[in-house]
Amino acid sequence: MRSETGETSDMKIREYLVGCVAGEMDARFHEEALKAQAVASYTFAQYIKNRDKDKPGADISDDSSVYQSYIDEEKRKDKWKDSFEKYESAVENAVDAVLGQQILYDDKPIMAVYFDKCNGLTESSENILGKQLPYLVSVTSDGDKLSPELESYEEFTIDEFKNAFSKKNIDFSHIRRFIILFFQSAVVFFNNCPNESVAPHVPNDPKNDLCL
């Protein structure tokens, strides 16, 4: 379903995944990263489709605050401009390489939630989702610490800080100066699952259509 209009439409899985990967990941990233994103996006879509199969309406929405990002070809052209053909080809090649592959646990698609980067340690599902999932456990992720975008430093005046939190009805009148170091926080990601039954899987008869 289109979150902006509420309209629904049928589309091929390949088309959907190209839009997902383009919306969720920088197309300049390594091909293996793009392929991993395609598998995660497909798995997540199948999880949602199976979970909500008895509900009326579309299988999934393009509302990234609830599901995952999806940008259509027109928006991709606007995003990439003169580099559209280059980046479109990179994303399409990655999607084609893993099309139909998904991650299963006990023969069912996992809740393949993912994130951009973390501070070196992921969170367990019970701390984020309120329920324990054996394939979503806290693990170290030292590679994230190498990202130049892991940390950012911002300095605010008293008024700027107070205005930012004014809607929360918090009184900061006694504070004179703030220097805040923001760390991009982790959400949850399937990683280093201890159960051997979780593995990339290609269905014998994958469904090629999705109602968005």
Side-chain angles (χ1 to χ4, degrees):
M1 182 177 69
R2 306 285 184 174
S3 57
E4 294 180 354
T5 63
E7 297 178 349
T8 61
S9 60
D10 293 324
M11 66 175 59
K12 296 294 184 181
I13 284 293
R14 181 183 185 275
E15 179 184 352
Y16 175 70
L17 290 181
V18 169
C20 278
V21 175
E24 292 287 355
M25 181 169 282
D26 191 326
R28 296 171 297 179
F29 281 13
H30 195 283
E31 180 184 10
E32 294 303 315
L34 296 174
K35 287 159 64 175
Q37 180 62 58
V39 173
S41 291
Y42 178 64
T43 303
F44 182 77
Q46 291 301 311
Y47 171 85
I48 296 297
K49 184 177 181 179
N50 291 343
R51 185 195 67 181
D52 300 342
K53 61 183 178 181
D54 296 327
K55 295 182 179 180
D59 295 319
I60 199 168
S61 166
D62 64 358
D63 184 353
S64 61
S65 66
V66 180
Y67 299 103
Q68 56 187 351
S69 292
Y70 169 83
I71 54 177
D72 59 25
E73 183 175 339
E74 181 179 351
K75 291 182 179 179
R76 296 196 297 272
K77 287 181 177 179
D78 183 62
K79 177 181 180 179
W80 294 328
K81 302 189 185 316
D82 293 341
S83 299
F84 170 76
E85 292 186 4
K86 175 183 177 181
Y87 293 147
E88 183 81 351
S89 178
V91 172
E92 287 182 342
N93 289 340
V95 169
D96 288 339
V98 296
L99 188 61
Q101 293 188 26
Q102 58 182 315
I103 302 172
L104 304 180
Y105 183 86
D106 287 342
D107 296 324
K108 297 179 181 179
I110 70 169
M111 183 188 289
V113 288
Y114 48 85
F115 62 92
D116 180 24
K117 64 181 69 67
C118 73
N119 62 358
L121 184 68
T122 67
E123 267 289 6
S124 296
S125 60
E126 56 264 37
N127 294 333
I128 301 297
L129 305 175
K131 59 181 178 180
Q132 185 178 21
L133 297 173
Y135 51 82
L136 288 179
V137 297
S138 180
V139 297
T140 57
S141 184
D142 292 333
D144 288 309
K145 295 179 179 180
L146 302 177
S147 172
E149 300 176 353
L150 179 63
E151 301 175 359
S152 62
Y153 180 86
E154 299 287 346
E155 184 170 345
F156 299 91
T157 65
I158 295 174
D159 289 338
E160 288 173 340
F161 193 87
K162 288 166 62 177
N163 290 337
F165 287 88
S166 61
K167 294 182 180 180
K168 300 295 182 180
N169 295 320
I170 301 175
D171 182 13
F172 289 107
S173 60
H174 62 289
I175 300 177
R176 300 303 179 190
R177 187 168 180 268
F178 298 93
I179 299 178
I180 303 176
L181 184 64
F182 288 104
F183 293 89
Q184 294 193 353
S185 59
V187 184
V188 190
F189 191 60
F190 57 96
N191 194 3
N192 294 347
C193 180
N195 192 302
E196 294 181 356
S197 66
V198 176
H201 173 73
V202 181
N204 293 328
D205 185 22
K207 296 180 179 180
N208 293 323
D209 298 309
L210 188 73
C211 181
L212 177 65

